[in-house]
């Protein structure tokens, strides 16, 4: 079993990959991206006849075949706007991605719009595709990505950037946006990493900040109207129309000026008809967007095989390291009745046996108790299980534990204290006491769980060796308490450590990073401390991600346009699947940074271990997440003072800026309604062809 290097959230993990092909076996890079003025074909031909003979020569060929339950293949000629959607990772990681699945379904519901999916191909297939002239293709109808109008790419981590370059090159699209013609698709970046798209500004034509449901429909309308008018003004006019929405960022229309010391002086529009700031999109009424209705059911093993329902979006807990919590504000709950209907229809369609209730902190839904008990009652006596992939320590209780284990299947439980000591948890505003954690884990153990996972970070601002070593004390106490409560020694916990990466639009966007040497030394000390008591240590698993990938992710997360040259250099020297530990090369990134960055008067440390100043212009300051920069700075100062900030969901507003600037408001229940007036399901039928375990 191989493990995906980055952990997008504490509950996320990944699966198996394919072997890495030697770089020296490749056809030279760039051969497929020569500029072309060939018009986009009226009918895109399938490249399947050329692809199929290659598949017996690669690992897990089924991931390239398509035809999954839930997949859609539409008539090319009947569509006026055609999208290729990509999650820039392997099929097994990309297919379950909720964002891509939602957009795929939303777009394909429009009668004159077609959307197909593409994923990163493993290096063994890439080598063969280059040798045989096979372009980047969609898995739905095996059409060349270059034939589409829009190529949308969703980034949840910056370590997918090199995979984007591979896809662009294999598609035969010019690598640089400036070199593209009307014959090339418009490449649009989205996802959380798009809140700072500057490192890939040379390679993408546009970026969308925030929620995508309404954004893709607006982009589709603009493309449809532009094409109906005969494509006036060409590519430049289309991009200008997108930019005028004030919610689509087009990097080519903005110039960046630098100070002599390397800092940014200003980012300004280079033409009068584009906005100075670009705003994020916020979808307010989640009940109006009950997607996915028909979830994709994979043919090959994937990292998550469940029907996932996003029960609310946004978070106001105020964890200072958490970009997702900051940029998705305000909180918007999906009603309990809509959740019930989605689960009913999604399970009937897919045949999945697990329901994941997703959000940044699922147990914070105002009606989570009724939701879990209603679903557990609904599917009592079946093999359907419930899971809360993201659960706060202080929101998990015995009632939830009993409902989640009602049908005898206990999915994994992950709790994320994040920091080992109470002091560091005050710094990051994750106030969970050791007593809270022990009580919560004991609740799980006494309700039948025998293993829990505890997620922490290393390298947090102001962190010391002692803060990290307290993780060992906490893990030891968890095992002691679990054994005492259950009278059994069959108790385990896994301590999982991720490296802290400062992210844009968070209070820690100014923070310095710890060096990989510091991180790795603390992890070594922690491992020794965990194993110092052999009786307890043997019951504690220890998984960690060393400091090197985190530093590179830090370079990419807070980088500016100059970092694009580093990304391209890494890609040209063989960088692929940097989110996978067996493919990531720290030396490749360091060498590229050392070659490229000094020409701009900066270096790798300048982007990573340097603390920013209050008035420094940050690369993403012209991209509006709704958060007030002065508020973020004050919260950064509060963290250094170890001051805790309350959750504004239950207390008076503390002026983060989101609600007034976005013209939005916090939406919470309770609605007072129960789940659904449904009759219980006994021996739930699985539809023909559905996925079974």
């Amino acid at each position: 079993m191989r493990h995906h290097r980055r952990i997008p959230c504490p509950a996320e993990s990944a699966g198996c990959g394919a072997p890495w092909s030697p770089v020296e076996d490749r056809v030279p890079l760039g051969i497929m991206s020569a500029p072309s003025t060939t018009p986009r074909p009226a009918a895109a031909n399938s490249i399947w006849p050329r692809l199929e003979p290659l598949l017996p020569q690669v690992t897990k060929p089924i991931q390239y075949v398509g035809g999954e339950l839930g997949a859609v293949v539409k008539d090319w000629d009947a569509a006026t706007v055609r999208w290729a959607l990509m999650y820039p990772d392997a099929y097994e990681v990309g297919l379950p991605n909720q964002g891509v699945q939602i957009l795929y379904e939303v777009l394909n519901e429009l009668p004159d719009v077609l959307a197909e999916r593409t994923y990163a191909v493993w290096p063994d297939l890439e080598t063969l595709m280059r040798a045989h002239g096979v372009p980047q293709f969609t898995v739905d109808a095996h059409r060349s990505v270059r034939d589409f109008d829009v190529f949308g790419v969703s980034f949840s981590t910056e370590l997918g950037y090199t995979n984007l370059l591979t896809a662009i090159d294999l598609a035969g699209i010019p690598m640089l946006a400036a070199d593209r013609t009307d014959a090339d698709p418009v490449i649009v970046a989205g996802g959380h990493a798009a809140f700072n798209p500057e490192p890939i500004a040379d390679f993408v034509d546009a970026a969308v900040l925030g929620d995508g449901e309404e954004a893709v429909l607006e982009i589709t309308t603009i493309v449809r109207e532009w094409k109906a008018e005969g494509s006036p003004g060409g590519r430049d006019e289309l991009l200008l129309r997108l930019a005028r929405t004030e919610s689509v960022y087009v990097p080519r229309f903005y110039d960046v000026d630098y100070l002599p010391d390397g800092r940014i002086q200003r980012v300004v529009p280079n033409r009068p008809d584009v906005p100075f700031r670009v705003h994020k999109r916020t979808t307010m009424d989640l009940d109006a967007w009950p997607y996915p209705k028909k979830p994709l059911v994979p043919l090959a093993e994937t990292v998550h095989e469940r029907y996932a329902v996003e029960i609310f979006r946004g978070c106001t807990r105020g964890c200072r390291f958490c970009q997702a919590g900051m940029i998705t504000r305000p909180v918007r709950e999906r009603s309990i009745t809509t959740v019930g209907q989605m689960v009913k229809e999604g399970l009937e369609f897919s045949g999945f046996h697990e329901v994941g209730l997703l959000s940044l902190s699922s147990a914070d839904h105002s009606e989570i108790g009724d939701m879990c008990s209603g679903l557990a009652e609904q599917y009592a006596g079946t093999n359907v299980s419930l899971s809360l992939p993201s659960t706060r320590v202080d929101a998990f209780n015995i009632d939830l534990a009993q409902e989640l284990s009602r049908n005898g299947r206990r999915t994994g439980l992950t709790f994320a204290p994040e920091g080992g000591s109470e002091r560091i948890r005050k710094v990051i505003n994750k106030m969970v006491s050791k007593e809270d954690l022990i009580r919560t884990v004991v609740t799980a153990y006494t309700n039948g769980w025998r293993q829990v996972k505890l997620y922490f970070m290393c390298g947090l601002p102001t962190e010391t060796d002692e803060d990290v070593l307290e993780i060992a004390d906490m893990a030891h106490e968890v095992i002691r308490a679990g054994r005492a409560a259950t009278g059994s020694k069959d108790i385990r916990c896994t301590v999982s450590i991720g490296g802290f990466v400062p992210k844009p639009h968070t209070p820690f966007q100014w923070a310095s990073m710890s060096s990989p040497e510091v991180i790795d030394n603390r992890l070594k000390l922690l491992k020794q401390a965990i194993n110092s008591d052999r009786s307890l240590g043997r019951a504690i698993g220890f998984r960690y991600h060393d400091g090197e990938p985190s530093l590179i992710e830090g370079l990419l997360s807070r980088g500016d346009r100059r970092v694009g040259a580093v990304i391209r250099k890494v890609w040209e020297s063989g960088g692929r699947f940097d989110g996978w530990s067996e493919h990531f090369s720290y030396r490749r990134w360091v060498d590229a940074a050392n070659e490229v960055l000094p020409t701009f008067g900066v270096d790798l440390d300048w982007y990573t271990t340097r603390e920013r100043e209050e008035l420094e212009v940050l690369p993403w300051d012209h991209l509006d997440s709704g958060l007030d920069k002065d508020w973020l700075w004050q919260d950064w100062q509060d963290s250094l003072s170890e001051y805790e900030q309350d959750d504004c969901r239950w207390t008076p507003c503390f002026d983060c800026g989101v609600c007034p600037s976005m013209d939005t408001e916090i939406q919470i229940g309770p609605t007072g309604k129960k789940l659904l007036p449904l009759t219980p399901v006994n021996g739930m039928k699985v539809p023909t062809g559905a996925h079974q375990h």
Side-chain angles (χ1 to χ4, degrees):
M1 188 75 167
R2 295 177 178 171
H3 297 288
H4 197 252
R5 166 62 69 175
R6 297 303 321 144
I7 302 180
C9 78
E12 301 288 326
S13 62
C16 305
W20 174 243
S21 297
V23 173
E24 57 268 23
D25 288 346
R26 297 183 194 283
V27 174
L29 300 169
I31 63 164
M32 306 190 76
S33 60
S36 171
T37 56
T38 306
R40 196 173 290 112
N45 295 320
S46 170
I47 59 94
W48 180 251
R50 287 184 283 158
L51 174 66
E52 186 180 19
L54 308 182
L55 296 184
Q57 305 173 57
V58 303
T59 303
K60 291 205 293 190
I62 196 169
Q63 64 189 307
Y64 307 116
V65 170
E68 306 95 340
L69 183 67
V72 178
V73 176
K74 300 178 75 171
D75 182 356
W76 182 268
D77 293 329
T80 55
V81 181
R82 307 173 182 99
W83 283 74
L85 298 173
M86 182 181 196
Y87 188 83
D89 208 324
Y91 174 94
E92 61 208 76
V93 178
L95 182 132
N97 180 261
Q98 193 84 341
V100 171
Q101 286 206 32
I102 289 171
L103 300 184
Y104 178 73
E105 199 168 319
V106 166
L107 288 166
N108 277 319
E109 283 187 347
L110 300 176
D112 68 333
V113 176
L114 172 156
E116 298 188 12
R117 298 162 293 128
T118 187
Y119 305 103
V121 298
W122 283 107
D124 57 354
L125 182 57
E126 180 193 341
T127 299
L128 290 169
M129 289 168 65
R130 292 186 182 281
H132 294 270
V134 176
Q136 181 79 23
F137 57 88
T138 60
V139 296
D140 296 294
H142 297 95
R143 291 160 171 148
S144 171
V145 166
R146 187 177 176 272
D147 293 340
F148 290 76
D149 298 303
V150 188
F151 181 17
V153 189
S154 179
F155 292 98
S156 57
T157 170
E158 298 84 359
L159 291 172
Y161 289 161
T162 49
N163 283 354
L164 168 68
L165 300 197
T166 302
I168 292 173
D169 187 55
L170 285 174
I173 301 169
M175 186 64 69
L176 297 178
D179 295 335
R180 292 175 197 145
T181 70
D182 294 358
D184 299 302
V186 171
I187 300 180
V188 181
H192 288 181
F195 276 80
N196 176 26
E198 292 299 278
I200 52 171
D202 290 342
F203 314 119
V204 300
D205 296 293
V208 173
L209 279 64
D211 299 330
E213 292 95 336
E214 293 162 303
V216 295
L217 297 184
E218 183 176 35
I219 292 171
T220 297
T221 298
I222 291 169
V223 173
R224 180 194 290 122
E225 292 174 352
W226 174 76
K227 291 179 71 175
E229 294 167 15
S231 306
R235 187 182 193 85
D236 202 61
E237 170 65 19
L238 175 59
L239 292 172
L240 183 59
R241 292 185 185 189
L242 293 174
R244 285 177 181 152
T245 65
E246 300 189 5
S247 62
V248 178
Y249 174 54
V250 181
R252 73 161 67 183
F253 296 146
Y254 295 81
D255 292 333
V256 183
D257 298 328
Y258 299 96
L259 295 167
D261 63 2
R263 291 177 299 150
I264 294 173
Q265 182 178 27
R266 61 179 187 165
V267 180
V268 291
N270 54 31
R271 49 189 304 161
D273 41 3
V274 296
F276 271 85
R277 283 171 67 79
V278 179
H279 309 290
K280 79 168 182 178
R281 300 294 300 245
T282 302
T283 299
M284 289 305 298
D285 184 6
L286 294 189
D287 282 352
W289 301 87
Y291 298 94
K293 302 172 185 174
K294 298 180 178 179
L296 289 160
V297 180
L299 296 176
E301 182 184 5
T302 58
V303 296
H304 300 300
E305 297 181 4
R306 65 190 178 202
Y307 178 61
V309 180
E310 186 182 24
I311 61 174
F312 71 85
R313 194 172 292 180
C315 183
T316 49
R317 288 282 191 165
C319 301
R320 292 172 173 130
F321 57 84
C322 182
Q323 184 189 48
M326 293 289 172
I327 63 178
T328 59
R329 295 180 178 200
V331 169
R332 291 145 285 154
E333 288 194 351
R334 186 164 266 144
S335 71
I336 187 172
T337 48
T338 299
V339 171
Q341 189 68 40
M342 289 177 67
V343 170
K344 176 180 180 292
E345 295 175 0
L347 290 182
E348 288 176 352
F349 176 82
S350 67
F352 282 128
H353 294 161
E354 181 182 336
V355 176
L357 303 179
L358 305 187
S359 76
L360 291 172
S361 183
S362 297
D364 282 345
H365 192 288
S366 62
E367 296 180 294
I368 189 64
D370 285 342
M371 191 180 295
C372 287
S373 62
L375 289 171
E377 194 68 38
Q378 174 73 14
Y379 297 102
T382 73
N383 57 358
V384 173
S385 62
L386 296 179
S387 66
L388 300 183
S390 180
T391 312
R392 282 184 62 98
V393 170
D394 52 356
F396 186 83
N397 56 51
I398 192 165
D399 293 331
L400 274 183
Q402 290 173 344
E403 300 300 353
L404 292 174
S405 60
R406 175 89 73 93
N407 287 345
R409 290 186 63 201
R410 294 176 180 85
T411 56
L413 277 181
T414 298
F415 300 105
E418 309 287 359
S421 69
E422 184 170 343
R423 188 197 72 80
I424 204 71
R425 290 194 293 274
K426 287 182 178 179
V427 170
I428 64 178
N429 207 46
K430 184 94 177 192
M431 269 319 294
V432 175
S433 70
K434 185 183 290 187
E435 292 71 27
D436 287 337
L437 178 72
I438 301 301
R439 182 170 57 252
T440 297
V441 174
V442 166
T443 297
Y445 285 146
T446 53
N447 278 273
W449 276 273
R450 287 294 171 262
Q451 168 128 6
V452 297
K453 181 177 175 183
L454 305 178
Y455 182 82
F456 300 88
M457 283 188 291
C458 187
L460 291 161
T462 78
E463 180 185 273
T464 64
D465 292 355
E466 288 68 31
D467 292 315
V468 175
L469 289 174
E470 286 200 37
I471 295 172
D473 295 335
M474 188 178 285
H476 286 165
E477 291 198 31
V478 161
I479 297 299
R480 287 194 196 97
R483 288 175 176 176
T486 62
S488 169
K489 287 204 170 185
D490 183 26
I491 293 293
R492 288 190 57 80
C493 81
T494 297
V495 171
S496 183
I497 313 285
F500 164 69
V501 178
K503 295 286 186 175
H505 307 283
T506 71
F508 287 166
Q509 64 184 1
W510 290 276
S512 63
M513 295 187 71
S514 298
S515 70
E517 294 77 19
V518 170
I519 299 292
D520 294 349
N521 184 61
R522 285 178 183 159
L523 293 175
K524 180 181 176 182
L525 294 174
L526 175 57
K527 185 175 183 179
Q528 292 172 350
I530 288 174
N531 293 326
S532 62
D533 185 318
R534 293 187 62 186
S535 171
L536 299 172
R538 68 168 63 103
I540 301 170
F542 185 52
R543 292 180 55 192
Y544 63 90
H545 302 276
D546 56 43
E548 293 179 347
S550 298
L551 193 80
I552 300 307
E553 191 177 343
L555 165 71
L556 299 175
S557 74
R558 293 191 295 177
D560 50 44
R561 294 187 183 185
R562 295 170 291 190
V563 173
V566 179
I567 298 169
R568 184 164 186 175
K569 178 68 67 175
V570 167
W571 175 78
E572 289 173 343
S573 61
R576 303 290 190 278
F577 288 92
D578 287 293
W580 293 72
S581 55
E582 62 266 44
H583 302 326
F584 175 81
S585 168
Y586 182 62
R587 178 45 52 194
R588 184 186 288 130
W589 281 95
V590 170
D591 288 346
N594 289 343
E595 182 177 345
V596 169
L597 295 179
T599 63
F600 300 114
V602 293
D603 58 20
L604 182 57
D605 287 341
W606 191 87
Y607 282 104
T608 54
T609 59
R610 177 180 68 93
E611 184 174 320
R612 277 60 167 169
E613 298 174 1
E614 178 180 6
L615 299 181
E616 179 170 342
V617 176
L618 303 174
W620 51 89
D621 278 350
H622 57 298
L623 304 175
D624 184 12
S625 64
L627 294 158
D628 182 76
K629 191 177 179 182
D630 290 338
W631 177 82
L632 288 171
W633 174 264
Q634 184 56 54
D635 205 38
W636 167 230
Q637 300 308 298
D638 287 344
S639 76
L640 299 177
S641 303
E642 301 172 15
Y643 173 78
E644 302 164 54
Q645 180 66 267
D646 290 329
D647 183 346
C648 70
R649 195 173 179 191
W650 316 113
T651 59
C653 173
F654 46 73
D655 297 325
C656 75
V658 167
C659 291
S661 69
M662 299 280 109
D663 192 25
T664 59
E665 61 184 17
I666 292 174
Q667 293 185 350
I668 60 172
T671 62
K673 297 179 181 179
K674 294 302 178 186
L675 189 66
L676 266 182
L678 299 174
T679 55
V681 177
N682 291 313
M684 196 179 86
K685 294 180 180 179
V686 177
T688 302
H691 193 60
Q692 301 184 55
H693 298 285

